[in-house]
Amino acid sequence: QAQLVESGGDSVEAGGSLRLSCVVHGVEISRYCTAWFRQAPGKPREAVARISSGGGSTYYSDSVKGRFTISQDGAKSTLYLQMNNLKPDDTATYSCATDGGLSRDYQKWAGCVFNNWGQGTQVTVSS
């Protein structure tokens, strides 16, 4: 299965912006449904944004709609999450995910079954 490596997490003030990156090693990214998830301490994992295989459609959770944008660059095999107008509630570890993996840890969302996970990158938003 593909190896996923995230970067771009940081500490920012409320209202700020960050762009997360996820390099997908070993496969052609456009073949897979890819997404960003997040998990805050003591809370369940939450789906944030998804881009379909082929990059034809995107889908967002209500909590980030209008503020976050998911995109991918096939030539760089990289998934991005542009996060604007960040809020303290956005504080979490953000992980990218794809379908087509081998993990027994899976989550169904927005028409895809995600079962290949990156290690995550920390985003902290202060008020």
Side-chain angles (χ1 to χ4, degrees):
Q1 64 179 11
Q3 181 185 10
L4 312 178
V5 181
E6 303 96 334
S7 63
D10 205 345
S11 296
V12 297
E13 293 185 348
S17 298
L18 283 175
R19 188 176 81 158
L20 306 182
S21 299
C22 170
V23 178
V24 180
H25 294 279
V27 297
E28 184 177 337
I29 190 174
S30 62
R31 295 178 56 191
Y32 293 87
C33 201
T34 53
W36 287 96
F37 289 76
R38 67 186 182 185
Q39 189 166 22
K43 294 186 178 181
R45 186 167 57 202
E46 175 190 13
V48 174
R50 182 271 279 149
I51 190 164
S52 62
S53 60
S57 70
T58 56
Y59 190 85
Y60 298 91
S61 68
D62 288 343
S63 61
V64 307
K65 196 175 297 182
R67 300 188 298 123
F68 290 12
T69 303
I70 188 171
S71 63
Q72 65 183 38
D73 184 333
K76 296 181 179 180
S77 200
T78 301
L79 180 71
Y80 299 102
L81 186 68
Q82 178 66 43
M83 307 186 294
N84 298 328
N85 190 22
L86 283 160
K87 304 176 181 180
D89 283 350
D90 295 319
T91 295
T93 298
Y94 285 71
S95 300
C96 59
T98 74
D99 61 359
L102 302 174
S103 174
R104 294 183 179 182
D105 176 13
Y106 70 94
Q107 187 160 342
K108 296 180 180 180
W109 188 64
C112 299
V113 179
F114 298 99
N115 56 1
N116 186 21
W117 305 91
Q119 292 300 307
T121 185
Q122 178 66 37
V123 172
T124 303
V125 185
S126 59
S127 57

